[in-house]
Amino acid sequence: VLMDFSLPAATREIIDATTASGTPLVCGVTGLGEDLMAAISGAAETVPVVYDRNMSLGIAVLESIAVQAARALGEEFEVEVHETHHVHKVDAPSGTALKLGEAVAAARGEDPASMHYESERRGEVPGDHTVVFSSASERLRLDHSVATRDVFANGALRAARWVISQKAGLYSMRDVLGLGG
């Protein structure tokens, strides 16, 4: 399995190497443009690819639960995605926050641009994410916090063990955990 957690500038070469060798790919590079996402989709036509902006098992479960909540609660509930990361993190909202917002928006049949995000940068926080559903009479908060960055490596290794037995296709961590794409 080829694993790519580098930077977008290196991802094209990684994709080319995986397709040329027929090697499954686990990719967690964030900030990829449409051209590189199309290249990943193209690679998935010939090799199995797990692509996800966050390799945490807990985030995959949070995303699945948030989608279920969005479908069940409907449009009478407003949705916010809150995220906190270390002061060195450049992107805001984070790729994980965007991933959660996009999943909720899709479940509600809404444009992902309509989602509300709140980003905070402080200390050395590896990553905290909360999806909040609010109505006039109640509030549901779904939280996930990372204590150490080990969770990302552990998730990537689980994805690598899983992807080697898959047929060509594009998968996410939700697929790795059997939660559906």
Side-chain angles (χ1 to χ4, degrees):
V1 174
L2 205 156
M3 299 178 83
D4 181 16
F5 292 88
S6 60
L7 295 170
T11 300
R12 172 70 66 188
E13 287 184 49
I14 303 283
I15 293 168
D16 292 345
T18 197
T19 55
S21 65
T23 305
L25 173 64
V26 173
C27 181
V29 179
T30 60
L32 300 180
E34 289 181 24
D35 60 326
L36 287 174
M37 289 307 300
I40 287 174
S41 293
E45 293 176 12
T46 59
V47 296
V49 176
V50 173
Y51 174 77
D52 213 309
R53 291 178 274 188
N54 188 310
M55 293 289 158
S56 161
L57 305 180
I59 285 293
V61 172
L62 173 62
E63 180 185 4
S64 185
I65 293 169
V67 164
Q68 184 178 13
R71 289 182 182 140
L73 297 174
E75 60 187 46
E76 62 202 61
F77 280 75
E78 292 188 18
V79 182
E80 299 176 359
V81 179
H82 301 237
E83 56 98 359
T84 303
H85 283 88
H86 53 86
V87 296
H88 313 289
K89 186 156 187 66
V90 177
D91 58 327
S94 68
T96 301
L98 292 172
K99 160 192 172 69
L100 293 168
E102 290 164 5
V104 167
R108 292 165 51 119
E110 296 176 356
D111 183 344
S114 69
M115 294 299 301
H116 176 74
Y117 298 93
E118 290 189 14
S119 300
E120 182 181 354
R121 301 291 175 259
R122 64 179 163 81
E124 295 299 325
V125 178
D128 293 341
H129 294 86
T130 304
V131 182
V132 181
F133 295 86
S134 301
S135 74
S137 57
E138 63 183 311
R139 184 175 179 183
L140 172 64
R141 294 175 52 95
L142 305 172
D143 290 311
H144 178 266
S145 293
V146 172
T148 73
R149 290 181 176 85
D150 292 350
V151 299
F152 308 122
N154 292 337
L157 291 171
R158 184 155 172 182
R161 287 189 297 271
W162 180 85
V163 77
I164 58 174
S165 63
Q166 302 307 308
K167 63 181 181 184
L170 182 58
Y171 304 98
S172 70
M173 287 302 291
R174 287 174 62 191
D175 295 308
V176 171
L177 295 180
L179 300 170

